Amino acid sequence: MIRVLNNILALFTGKPQIAEKQRSQETMNLILSRRSCRSFTDEEIDKDDMQAILEAGRFAPSTVNLQTWSFITFTRSAWREKFERPLPFNGMWAVVICADMHRLKNHFPDLKDTPYVNISFALFNAGLSAMNMTIAAEALGLKSIMLSETGKTGLLDYAYLKEKLRLPDKVIPLTTLVVGKAKGEKAGIPPRQPWKANVMEKSYNADNCEMLEDWQQQMFIGFKLTHPLSNFQKQLEMYKKKMVEAEEELRKQYHV
Ligand SMILES: Cc1cc2nc3c(=O)[nH]c(=O)nc-3n(C[C@H](O)[C@H](O)[C@H](O)COP(=O)(O)O)c2cc1C
């Protein structure tokens, strides 16, 4: 019981542990105070802000400067027209971020013999561009969330998005970045795993499962608090089903 109470307390009090000098640094503060936003207002986004966010994505670093990404943008109304449903969380603008190995085919045909390496590069680079865009949005006073499932918006709905967006082979819709102005106060901080479970010195520590028990409990409690009408187990079942379906499609793409 005490453990449960401590974990509830941790959910409300947990925050990044850094020194005051570092915390007061503007970019550092921006990175650590960013939270996924799940409720947006109807306020329009400046076109120059959209361009700046996309440019931040395009200027991310990438392996051998290959820029293995593509961004497909949607206004709120364009999203509704295309997908026949609203942009999740009442977002104002969205970017579907794809890991893109399609363009490489023409320039480096030999790459097809190393699918695991290609995909690892492509995913990593596209992830960096996504993060650059997220931080750019924060810097411009906007909020965002990356989605992989909610509203059929990412990797777990790969077959659906492939058809809807007419994606060629080797273009993987990783995530949709939904952007807008935040409605209301930001929620608490989703619990992070303990430092020692993630950060290791000199060699890998594989015996860190026990360390994660509190974190797991905090995740369950956090889910219950934020989704009182839903059930974590049911959610997990739905994820498992979608993961198996997405896996089938991805296997076809990677030819492995
Ligand atoms: C690639 C990716 C996909 C995500 N997909 C979803 C999603 O489908 N639905 C959702 O509500 N949140 C989604 N999230 C948000 C995560 O739940 C969130 O980042 C995590 O709980 C940590 O919270 P924070 O972003 O506020 O720090 C996704 C995040 C990432 C990076």
Side-chain angles (χ1 to χ4, degrees):
M1 190 59 190
I2 296 216
R3 189 170 194 182
V4 175
L5 288 174
N6 277 339
N7 281 331
I8 294 174
L9 190 68
L11 270 178
F12 289 97
T13 55
K15 58 177 190 188
Q17 300 297 312
I18 60 168
E20 204 42 54
K21 183 175 165 218
Q22 280 70 16
R23 184 184 300 281
S24 61
Q25 204 280 335
E26 199 181 346
T27 309
M28 197 73 206
N29 188 39
L30 199 98
I31 290 170
L32 291 176
S33 62
R34 177 213 59 81
R35 294 274 74 79
S36 295
C37 178
R38 292 186 176 80
S39 180
F40 297 96
T41 68
D42 293 332
E43 211 175 318
E44 296 287 343
I45 302 181
D46 193 313
K47 282 210 161 42
D48 288 344
D49 282 351
M50 295 180 195
Q51 179 167 345
I53 292 169
L54 291 165
E55 206 61 338
R58 281 172 19 86
F59 274 75
S62 64
T63 320
V64 201
N65 196 22
L66 290 175
Q67 299 160 50
T68 49
W69 49 59
S70 288
F71 312 131
I72 306 173
T73 66
F74 289 92
T75 58
R76 184 188 272 182
S77 57
W79 182 277
R80 186 181 271 283
E81 203 177 305
K82 171 70 95 177
F83 298 106
E84 293 157 341
R85 61 164 66 89
L87 199 46
F89 306 120
N90 195 38
M92 186 47 82
W93 183 60
V95 186
V96 181
I97 298 165
C98 302
D100 192 333
M101 294 163 285
H102 173 70
R103 291 192 298 263
L104 290 185
K105 215 162 50 181
N106 297 327
H107 302 292
F108 304 99
D110 290 348
L111 287 182
K112 72 181 182 297
D113 296 322
T114 58
Y116 287 112
V117 174
N118 299 359
I119 188 68
S120 300
F121 282 166
L123 297 178
F124 188 73
N125 297 332
L128 293 176
S129 72
M131 200 61 224
N132 254 21
M133 287 194 255
T134 304
I135 297 298
E138 293 279 323
L140 296 168
L142 298 164
K143 293 289 165 193
S144 69
I145 183 167
M146 287 187 222
L147 300 174
S148 57
E149 190 278 325
T150 307
K152 294 198 168 206
T153 45
L155 191 64
L156 292 189
D157 290 289
Y158 174 43
Y160 171 81
L161 288 176
K162 183 172 169 61
E163 192 246 305
K164 279 279 180 193
L165 304 176
R166 287 189 268 125
L167 301 176
D169 282 354
K170 306 270 192 296
V171 177
I172 316 290
L174 283 186
T175 186
T176 296
L177 181 69
V178 177
V179 183
K181 295 262 185 192
K183 187 176 190 176
E185 284 301 299
K186 61 185 169 193
I189 305 180
R192 265 36 189 188
Q193 296 178 358
W195 173 279
K196 281 192 173 169
N198 305 152
V199 184
M200 301 159 203
E201 279 176 38
K202 296 191 184 133
S203 61
Y204 191 85
N205 170 19
D207 304 322
N208 55 11
C209 285
E210 246 176 62
M211 277 187 231
L212 296 178
E213 280 174 11
D214 283 325
W215 166 76
Q216 200 171 358
Q217 192 171 75
Q218 288 161 21
M219 291 280 283
F220 289 153
I221 297 170
F223 187 86
K224 200 70 223 164
L225 290 176
T226 49
H227 306 75
L229 301 178
S230 185
N231 171 325
F232 192 83
Q233 214 49 40
K234 231 165 89 185
Q235 184 81 3
L236 208 59
E237 287 310 313
M238 185 270 287
Y239 257 83
K240 272 163 37 185
K241 182 170 171 291
K242 291 185 87 165
M243 282 164 78
V244 169
E245 286 165 8
E247 180 78 12
E248 286 296 308
E249 289 299 320
L250 287 164
R251 274 176 199 268
K252 283 187 224 158
Q253 289 296 301
Y254 301 161
H255 302 298
V256 290

